[in-house]
Amino acid sequence: MRELFESTIERLLSDIATPEYVRAAEQNVWPADLWRALEENGITLAGAPEEVGGSEASWADLFVIVRAAGQHAAPVPLVEMLLGNWLLEQCGIGSRSGILTVATDSTLTCSAGALSGELRYVPWGRNAELVVTVVTSDAGYDVVLLEPAAAERIVEGVNVAGEPRDILHFSAALPLASAPLPAGLSPSVLLAGGAMLRSAQIAGALTAIMTLTSAYAGERKQFGRPISAFQAIQQQLAVLAEQAAAANIAAEAAFAQSDTALATFSIAAAKVSASDAASQATSIGHSVHGAIGFTQEYSLHLLTRRLWAWRSEFGSSTYWSKLLGEAVCNAGAEGFWPLITQSHNEQRPISE
């Protein structure tokens, strides 16, 4: 299944999500044909049960989809939909089709079953038909499914990459569905899941930057030979390859270890690794490319701007490093080795 997903998503994104296409999407143009192609090929519901048109793919299988979305800077909420439907399945509401996104920054309060407040920085909130979030309830926490169309108003915004990050204002809105957050899931489950997704997207973008930068260094000549022949450039390319490899391995490990429950320890490590690699990769990519790397016509900025945005979304490197440090300190000297080597079937002991 993983190989089928990988070949399908690579073909679709290579054919449709060209640099020119991504630039157009940044001008607030909804990429309807890309989304339609993803739906028709079963990508948007890849993790959903077969009875609703899905493939029941595991997170390990979905990794290649998420990485490809980052590698091609796919301008759609594909990864958010995978996460939202996963949580809907976990709490018994069931997967939904259409355009679905998630929200982690919420001030929603519940009164007589109606929700009022804000959902902030919602990916593609203006385009979404459904949004999944977690709210405080009398019994604890509930997973709720809302329609952005029911919002009193939408304040449109974008991140540094030009991707929609909107604020949805609700006033006494009735959710389409709600259910208690299952036992064993943290109220910040969407934050952890989102961090896992962003780590894989960053890994994909790093791979694309490495390919683009290596090709440019082999073509660009100075003093009669390619700049890739110079030791200083070779050293920078080696560091770039090292960072891309580390981020890919850490992200894939987090996905593989999250099949039964989100492995928050591994997710935290992956987000830290990916975010730190993003900082180095953007610096190296622009350094090797020189002035051309900053031009709008060249596609490098489509990747580097996303790395700058994604490294901070769903928790920064500092946020997840702090949680990792707390987990290690709480485990103590005797518990350190078991903490990092315990079975991937166990939930990592880290408090979000």
Side-chain angles (χ1 to χ4, degrees):
M1 182 182 296
R2 179 185 168 110
E3 291 76 13
L4 178 60
F5 283 151
E6 189 168 21
S7 61
T8 301
I9 191 70
E10 285 289 344
R11 172 179 54 81
L12 287 177
L13 295 181
S14 296
D15 290 346
I16 302 176
T18 62
E20 294 76 15
Y21 191 90
V22 176
R23 289 190 188 94
E26 290 184 2
Q27 303 305 312
N28 202 19
V29 177
W30 170 248
D33 49 346
L34 173 58
W35 190 258
R36 182 169 55 252
L38 293 170
E39 287 183 323
E40 291 173 352
N41 284 271
I43 301 298
T44 58
L45 290 174
E50 293 182 3
E51 54 265 27
V52 296
S55 302
E56 296 190 31
S58 65
W59 279 122
D61 292 328
L62 294 175
F63 170 74
V64 294
I65 293 178
V66 180
R67 181 178 60 184
Q71 186 171 350
H72 295 274
V76 288
L78 171 61
V79 303
E80 288 82 3
M81 182 162 183
L82 295 175
L83 176 59
N85 271 333
W86 173 84
L87 183 55
L88 291 179
E89 286 293 332
Q90 294 295 306
C91 66
I93 293 176
S95 301
R96 301 299 175 98
S97 57
I99 306 170
L100 184 146
T101 188
V102 298
T104 58
D105 190 346
S106 169
T107 64
L108 291 180
T109 58
C110 184
S111 177
L115 297 170
S116 298
E118 294 180 349
L119 294 178
R120 303 191 184 108
Y121 312 115
V122 181
W124 283 272
R126 73 197 69 170
N127 306 114
E129 298 166 353
L130 301 166
V131 58
V132 179
T133 191
V134 177
V135 300
T136 304
S137 66
D138 293 338
Y141 295 94
D142 284 348
V143 177
V144 297
L145 183 66
L146 288 162
E147 290 179 300
E152 189 175 44
R153 62 192 175 98
I154 298 177
V155 179
E156 296 186 356
V158 295
N159 62 13
V160 71
E163 298 175 311
R165 297 293 186 266
D166 303 327
I167 301 176
L168 309 183
H169 296 261
F170 293 93
S171 179
L174 295 175
L176 289 177
S178 65
L181 184 69
L185 290 185
S186 165
S188 54
V189 59
L190 288 175
L191 181 68
M196 182 176 72
L197 296 175
R198 288 292 185 265
S199 69
Q201 287 177 280
I202 289 173
L206 289 171
T207 301
I209 288 177
M210 182 179 66
T211 301
L212 192 65
T213 304
S214 298
Y216 178 81
E219 297 168 357
R220 181 76 168 92
K221 292 185 178 181
Q222 287 285 352
F223 308 108
R225 56 177 178 162
I227 63 173
S228 60
F230 293 94
Q231 187 174 9
I233 299 297
Q234 292 174 354
Q235 192 272 340
Q236 289 190 342
L237 293 177
V239 172
L240 178 55
E242 174 189 1
Q243 292 298 319
N248 270 273
I249 291 171
E252 188 166 7
F255 274 70
Q257 294 171 9
S258 295
D259 277 350
T260 56
L262 292 183
T264 50
F265 190 90
S266 294
I267 289 171
K271 189 59 161 63
V272 171
S273 176
S275 297
D276 290 350
S279 298
Q280 292 194 56
T282 53
S283 176
I284 292 172
H286 281 288
S287 175
V288 172
H289 277 88
I292 193 175
F294 291 91
T295 62
Q296 285 293 317
E297 294 79 9
Y298 197 70
S299 58
L300 178 64
H301 71 92
L302 297 177
L303 298 165
T304 55
R305 286 190 293 112
R306 279 163 176 76
L307 290 182
W308 287 324
W310 293 343
R311 67 184 178 181
S312 299
E313 292 182 345
F314 296 105
S316 65
S317 176
T318 300
Y319 173 85
W320 289 108
S321 293
K322 179 176 180 290
L323 293 186
L324 280 176
E326 289 175 350
V328 170
C329 291
N330 291 336
E334 295 297 323
F336 176 69
W337 186 248
L339 175 66
I340 62 176
T341 60
Q342 63 183 296
S343 168
H344 70 269
N345 290 321
E346 299 176 16
Q347 179 75 14
R348 294 312 195 249
I350 183 171
S351 174
E352 301 157 41

